[in-house]
Amino acid sequence: MSKQRPLRSARWFEQDSIRGFAHRQRTLQMGYRREDFMGRPVIGIINTHSDLATCHQHLRQRAEDAKRGVIRAGGFPVELPTFSLGEVLVKPTTMLYRNLLAIETEELLRSHPIDAAVLLGGCDKTTPGLLMGATSADIPAVFVPAGPMISGSFRGRPVGAGTHTKEYWDERRQGRITENDWLDLESAMTRSPGTCQTMGTASTMTCIVEAMGLTLPGAASIPAVDSAHPRMAADAGEVATRLATHGLPLTQLLTQAHFDNAAVALMALGGSTNAAIHLIAMARRAGLGDYKLDDLIAAGRDVAVLADLFPHGSYMMQDFHDAGGMPALLSRLQNRLNLDAVGVNGESLGSAIDGAQVWNDTVIRKIDNPVTDRPALAVVKGSLAPGGAVIKPSAASQKLLKHQGRAIVFDGPADMAARIDKEEINADDILVLRGGGPVGAPGMPEWGNLPIPKPLLEKGVKDIVRISDARMSGTHYGTCILHVSPESAVGGPLALVQTGDQIALDVSRGQLDLIVDESELDERRSNWRPPDAPRRGWPALYVAHVGQAEDGCDFDFLLADGLPVKDPEIF
């Protein structure tokens, strides 16, 4: 903890001026007493609850729980609702709005008399969005993860959101399950509030944020409906109140060591490829302007996958929590972690995991018994992806990690849906989807896990190499090359690929190449035209300012010099 500093909110409430009078007057208008807020830390509870945020249905109550902790610690809690990004229901993709959530969070915190914040989120983009905004607002903050939903079960078999949706959809396409089976599955997988109970993007981000010390120790894996969850939220309210006078703003707290620890955790979890984009964006908001994919890979190199969780393993987040959660997992990685990195509660990572034990060696493996010998994340570069692309080898097919095949090209998901089961496609071919990047879609949806053509499914083919400039759900699996950068919509090499071209992939060497003569590519490049861009609204602003995947897909004007932005003047 830093030395005590004056309350930021005092600029609003303690002025002997007409403005100070108005601020106090309007707060009294809401029924509060002067002694409720005068001289007390004002704690903003930033809440991503909405009636259509399926994973966050309990966060309205968690805000009340956090308030209990704030009041108990002598603070004044105020709840500020922000943009809610419920994965699945938001179209075309929540990634289109991650930066909008970050902007709203930053401006809510800066424009109001807030001394520190409790951030309530968890569903995929809410975690990075909230933390990016709070970092740029330059105030202390503690993150409260929404927690995973309870485990799903279908006819005695564990089933998880996303992972088994994909599996059973392929079964239905082949006629191996009935329509009634499919309907029964709708209520079998997602049975409570909370985020996906597999190691998808939501749990990946909340768990690595815990490894960075931005949550309370052990918070990320507590199931949403566990009685420990409201207690954790109340504790977070207490911590945030202390942070208001003795904590560090995130720009001062976060260092390269915190992001190196995040990379180690990502690899050990077998986490989502989406984390690569979000961690770059978060690091650059924290002042690490040169942080890139290569830094992430270097920090996590040779870290084995130890968490035996779907989609690459066999268990659920509830099992992970019962096995000891993140403190237990991190206790097995101490020689790879920066244990001196300090968390929001003022405690070092080493102290946070001291004494942690693993209660189930099957769910959280020992170092010498990893879930797989393949890494959770790898970067490939080459003539098809000069800026890089990513793959999750731990959830891919070993035999396809070195492969050369004929490209079958689809221009967007509509083209793919119309042709995927009708084209003559072989198991050695490579499916290519373009138009799925941050500019092209726009927003970089999770289109990257292209379906296996039905004729191949019927022959027993379960995987095929797929390449796109889109993302993939962290709950999915397969040999999918994602985030190809530069994307096709800005003229990247992916825009020049034609059906019939040869593509060579070698993950062990980090190579992804288009085997076409340069003279032929020059000819294609001269004939290429960019797609029409949105002309109004948020999508128009987005495509005009968004960066590529290799740069975290943040906005150029949010990374300008002179950060953090100064507090508003009060006249």
Side-chain angles (χ1 to χ4, degrees):
M1 293 285 181
S2 65
K3 64 181 181 180
Q4 185 167 347
R5 64 171 186 276
L7 293 174
R8 179 176 177 270
S9 59
R11 297 178 61 238
W12 276 260
F13 293 128
E14 295 184 13
Q15 281 193 24
D16 184 15
S17 66
I18 189 170
R19 287 293 175 221
F21 170 84
H23 299 151
R24 295 186 295 273
Q25 175 195 49
R26 294 299 183 171
T27 307
L28 292 169
Q29 178 187 1
M30 294 184 284
Y32 296 112
R33 304 169 301 169
R34 283 176 60 95
E35 53 266 38
D36 289 334
F37 60 90
M38 291 293 290
R40 294 180 182 272
V42 180
I43 308 303
I45 299 171
I46 308 300
N47 196 350
T48 54
H49 169 273
S50 88
D51 285 348
L52 287 178
T54 60
C55 302
H56 293 179
Q57 290 302 291
H58 58 310
L59 291 191
R60 178 173 287 169
Q61 179 57 48
R62 292 300 173 271
E64 297 301 316
D65 298 324
K67 288 178 184 179
R68 284 192 290 115
V70 172
I71 293 170
R72 190 166 61 213
F76 177 57
V78 291
E79 182 180 356
L80 300 172
T82 191
F83 196 21
S84 185
L85 297 179
E87 203 72 27
V88 181
L89 292 182
V90 173
K91 303 302 178 187
T93 169
T94 55
M95 187 62 183
L96 180 62
Y97 301 107
R98 183 202 66 181
N99 294 348
L100 182 55
L101 172 59
I103 289 172
E104 186 176 10
T105 300
E106 176 181 350
E107 299 305 328
L108 277 172
L109 294 173
R110 179 178 294 114
S111 62
H112 288 96
I114 303 299
D115 297 302
V118 176
L119 309 172
L120 303 183
C123 190
D124 294 20
K125 316 309 177 296
T126 59
T127 301
L130 288 168
L131 286 166
M132 289 162 65
T135 301
S136 294
D138 205 37
I139 68 170
V142 58
F143 184 77
V144 172
M149 66 181 78
I150 62 174
S151 299
S153 179
F154 181 65
R155 297 175 181 174
R157 180 191 179 190
V159 289
T163 302
H164 293 97
T165 304
K166 182 75 173 175
E167 178 181 324
Y168 280 109
W169 174 246
D170 284 345
E171 293 287 302
R172 183 172 181 258
R173 290 173 67 208
Q174 299 173 75
R176 294 184 178 177
I177 63 171
T178 68
E179 186 67 21
N180 286 336
D181 293 335
W182 183 245
L183 292 176
D184 288 345
L185 279 162
E186 287 184 0
S187 59
M189 292 185 188
T190 52
R191 303 190 298 163
S192 78
T195 56
C196 294
Q197 70 280 68
T198 54
M199 186 44 65
T201 303
S203 287
T204 296
M205 292 308 301
T206 57
C207 285
I208 62 179
V209 162
E210 181 179 328
M212 296 171 71
L214 301 180
T215 73
L216 299 185
S221 63
I222 301 173
V225 295
D226 193 306
S227 62
H229 202 268
R231 292 194 292 271
M232 177 268 293
D235 289 342
E238 279 199 50
V239 169
T241 307
R242 294 198 301 271
L243 292 177
T245 53
H246 291 85
L248 291 173
L250 295 184
T251 50
Q252 296 178 36
L253 178 76
L254 292 171
T255 66
Q256 179 79 41
H258 291 84
F259 289 94
D260 288 348
N261 287 345
V264 172
L266 171 63
M267 297 300 188
L269 288 164
S272 167
T273 51
N274 291 314
I277 296 174
H278 300 317
L279 281 173
I280 291 171
M282 291 166 60
R284 294 187 181 186
R285 289 292 188 101
L288 302 176
D290 295 328
Y291 191 83
K292 52 189 181 298
L293 269 175
D294 291 342
D295 297 314
L296 175 58
I297 296 299
R301 182 170 287 116
D302 298 326
V303 174
V305 177
L306 301 183
D308 191 357
L309 304 171
F310 289 113
H312 57 268
S314 304
Y315 294 93
M316 303 281 190
M317 283 299 296
Q318 190 170 336
D319 303 308
F320 180 67
H321 180 68
D322 292 343
M326 284 303 292
L329 177 69
L330 296 176
S331 74
R332 290 193 159 164
L333 299 162
Q334 295 190 50
N335 66 328
R336 293 299 304 268
L337 295 166
N338 186 322
L339 298 175
D340 294 328
V342 176
V344 292
N345 64 352
E347 186 178 38
S348 70
L349 179 61
S351 296
I353 64 175
D354 184 41
Q357 296 187 55
V358 177
W359 303 112
N360 188 326
D361 289 329
T362 303
V363 177
I364 301 176
R365 302 287 191 91
K366 294 181 178 179
I367 295 289
D368 60 1
N369 183 34
V371 179
T372 173
D373 59 0
R374 302 191 298 276
L377 184 71
V379 173
V380 290
K381 297 182 179 181
S383 60
L384 188 54
V390 301
I391 181 175
K392 187 175 183 177
S394 60
S397 300
Q398 176 71 52
K399 66 178 182 179
L400 294 176
L401 296 179
K402 183 176 182 180
H403 183 76
Q404 182 168 329
R406 177 185 66 140
I408 306 294
V409 181
F410 301 103
D411 285 306
D415 181 38
M416 182 272 296
R419 296 168 45 211
I420 188 72
D421 292 334
K422 299 175 183 177
E423 293 281 322
E424 187 174 324
I425 300 174
N426 300 313
D428 291 334
D429 290 337
I430 295 176
L431 305 184
V432 176
L433 177 75
R434 58 188 173 208
V439 172
M444 208 177 181
E446 292 180 337
W447 294 342
N449 188 251
L450 281 69
I452 306 298
K454 186 176 179 180
L456 292 182
L457 282 176
E458 292 171 343
K459 294 177 181 178
V461 176
K462 299 291 188 182
D463 197 8
I464 185 172
V465 177
R466 289 154 278 180
I467 298 175
S468 76
D469 46 11
R471 298 179 300 111
M472 179 176 80
S473 168
T475 65
H476 287 178
Y477 50 88
T479 310
C480 299
I481 309 297
L482 310 156
H483 312 178
V484 171
S485 183
E487 64 175 298
S488 59
V490 300
L494 196 67
L496 309 179
V497 183
Q498 295 181 359
T499 294
D501 290 346
Q502 288 289 306
I503 295 175
L505 168 68
D506 190 335
V507 174
S508 65
R509 295 181 60 238
Q511 287 293 126
L512 181 65
D513 292 303
L514 177 61
I515 314 299
V516 176
D517 289 342
E518 194 60 40
S519 59
E520 172 63 19
L521 292 178
D522 288 340
E523 176 68 21
R524 295 181 190 179
R525 196 173 289 111
S526 68
N527 294 321
W528 179 80
R529 299 292 180 271
D532 293 337
R535 298 176 59 184
R536 70 169 303 278
W538 177 255
L541 179 67
Y542 184 92
V543 301
H545 295 283
V546 72
Q548 291 293 289
E550 62 183 294
D551 295 315
C553 296
D554 205 352
F555 287 162
D556 50 13
F557 63 83
L558 295 177
L559 296 170
D561 292 338
L563 294 177
V565 178
K566 293 181 180 179
D567 270 345
E569 297 288 346
I570 299 176
F571 296 108

